[in-house]
């Protein structure tokens, strides 16, 4: 069994929970509250900004120039395709420049990006791939599951189209193959660490849907703190 197959099998219950999360199912049905999707777009834009930086870090850690160039291309795709899509969503959802300027990442978004940086700075290129791959792979599988859905909201249809595309599938397959190649060259201890990164990121993917669906807040947000200081 390939290393990627071992990972996918190990996280199957977690991914199944993502497939069945109401954020995902209601997006496919077109019934998801736009407030949840609006919140998701802002948080995911923050996440993708750091995801692209971790991709670039991975490229810098690669052993060969071809892989460095490929990872740089992946980071560029994150910026040009996914973040551009989110910019389009922001315009359609009426998200203002003031909202962007005052944005604060939610606890889950902050924790997830911090986990990816920790994997990168405490490990090697294989750790980076293991930490970022669930985002690629899970989104592709969700796109495949939802691609026959016909939500009556154009924003949801665009989201499904982006992640169920052949272009995105090729990116996912490339990273899976790269992870399998690295797995052949590292120690058992390193493989276990990579498995843990993959498992943790899979958990955070579920938590990200839940964060957006519940409009997660910090226990004490800035306005609450300032109100207490004035009192």
């Amino acid at each position: 069994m390939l290393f990627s197959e071992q990972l996918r099998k190990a996280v199957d219950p977690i991914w199944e929970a993502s497939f069945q999360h109401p954020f995902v199912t209601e997006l496919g049905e077109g019934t998801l509250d736009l407030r949840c999707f609006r919140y998701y777009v802002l948080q995911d834009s923050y996440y993708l900004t750091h995801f692209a930086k971790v991709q670039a870090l991975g490229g810098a850690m690669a052993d060969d120039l071809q892989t460095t160039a490929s990872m740089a291309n992946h980071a560029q795709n994150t910026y040009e395709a996914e973040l551009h899509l989110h910019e389009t969503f922001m315009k359609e959802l009426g998200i203002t420049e003031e909202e962007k300027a005052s944005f604060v990442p939610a606890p889950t978004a902050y924790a997830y990006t911090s986990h990816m940086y920790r994997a990168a700075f405490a490990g090697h290129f294989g750790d980076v791939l293991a930490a970022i791959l669930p985002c690629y792979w899970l989104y592709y599988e969700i796109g495949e599951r939802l691609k026959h859905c016909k939500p009556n909201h154009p924003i949801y249809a665009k989201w499904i189209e982006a992640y169920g595309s052949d272009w995105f599938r090729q990116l996912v397959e490339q990273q899976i193959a790269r992870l399998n190649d690295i797995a052949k060259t590292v120690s058992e201890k390193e493989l276990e660490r990579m498995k843990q990164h993959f498992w943790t990121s899979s958990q955070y993917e579920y938590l990200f849907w839940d964060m957006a669906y519940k409009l997660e807040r910090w226990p004490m947000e800035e306005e609450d703190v300032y109100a207490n200081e004035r009192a």
Side-chain angles (χ1 to χ4, degrees), residues 75-136:
Q76 186 174 1
N77 280 328
T78 297
Y79 172 74
E80 291 181 350
E82 295 191 78
L83 281 171
H84 177 72
L85 180 67
H86 280 45
E87 286 295 326
T88 301
F89 289 156
M90 286 185 187
K91 290 177 183 177
E92 294 180 9
L93 292 167
I95 294 172
T96 66
E97 291 301 319
E98 290 75 16
E99 286 179 279
K100 294 180 191 177
S102 62
F103 168 80
V104 176
T108 295
Y110 185 83
Y112 191 0
T113 53
S114 298
H115 155 66
M116 291 192 298
Y117 281 121
R118 180 176 180 176
F121 285 113
H124 51 59
F125 182 41
D127 294 289
V128 173
L129 283 179
I132 66 176
L133 185 54
C135 180
Y136 281 93

Side-chain angles (χ1 to χ4, degrees), residues 8-222:
R8 179 64 185 85
K9 183 178 180 180
V11 300
D12 189 62
I14 306 170
W15 285 26
E16 190 59 39
S18 278
F19 299 146
Q20 300 304 323
H21 195 283
F23 185 98
V24 175
T25 58
E26 290 176 18
L27 189 152
E29 295 164 356
T31 59
L32 179 65
D33 189 329
L34 268 179
R35 291 179 304 160
C36 297
F37 192 75
R38 198 174 191 273
Y39 176 100
Y40 162 83
V41 166
L42 281 165
Q43 297 292 335
D44 201 43
S45 294
Y46 165 83
Y47 169 84
L48 287 172
T49 298
H50 292 283
F51 186 82
K53 292 178 181 180
V54 174
Q55 288 172 312
L57 283 170
M61 298 164 76
D63 290 334
D64 61 277
L65 189 57
Q66 183 178 359
T67 302
T68 298
S70 176
M71 291 300 294
N73 183 58
H74 276 253
Q76 186 174 1
N77 280 328
T78 297
Y79 172 74
E80 291 181 350
E82 295 191 78
L83 281 171
H84 177 72
L85 180 67
H86 280 45
E87 286 295 326
T88 301
F89 289 156
M90 286 185 187
K91 290 177 183 177
E92 294 180 9
L93 292 167
I95 294 172
T96 66
E97 291 301 319
E98 290 75 16
E99 286 179 279
K100 294 180 191 177
S102 62
F103 168 80
V104 176
T108 295
Y110 185 83
Y112 191 0
T113 53
S114 298
H115 155 66
M116 291 192 298
Y117 281 121
R118 180 176 180 176
F121 285 113
H124 51 59
F125 182 41
D127 294 289
V128 173
L129 283 179
I132 66 176
L133 185 54
C135 180
Y136 281 93
W137 196 350
L138 178 67
Y139 268 61
Y140 170 67
E141 289 201 16
I142 288 174
E144 282 291 291
R145 285 174 177 247
L146 299 184
K147 69 180 182 181
H148 299 300
C149 294
K150 303 294 181 185
N152 56 11
H153 202 296
I155 284 182
Y156 298 157
K158 286 180 185 176
W159 189 95
I160 293 169
E161 182 182 1
Y163 294 110
S165 64
D166 286 339
W167 163 81
F168 195 69
R169 174 182 56 78
Q170 290 170 8
L171 292 179
V172 174
E173 290 177 347
Q174 187 179 70
Q175 296 293 54
I176 291 173
R178 185 168 285 135
L179 185 70
N180 285 327
D181 287 342
I182 291 173
K184 298 172 185 175
T185 67
V186 299
S187 68
E188 283 298 320
K189 183 177 179 179
E190 289 170 312
L191 286 176
E192 285 303 315
R193 191 177 66 219
M194 289 161 64
K195 288 177 183 177
Q196 185 63 41
H197 292 325
F198 192 90
W199 182 88
T200 301
S201 292
S202 294
Q203 294 277 13
Y204 274 124
E205 285 295 330
Y206 173 85
L207 289 170
F208 211 91
W209 309 122
D210 207 52
M211 169 199 74
Y213 197 72
K214 296 176 179 176
L215 306 177
E216 181 185 72
R217 288 167 50 98
W218 289 94
M220 289 288 288
E221 297 209 334
E222 285 187 17

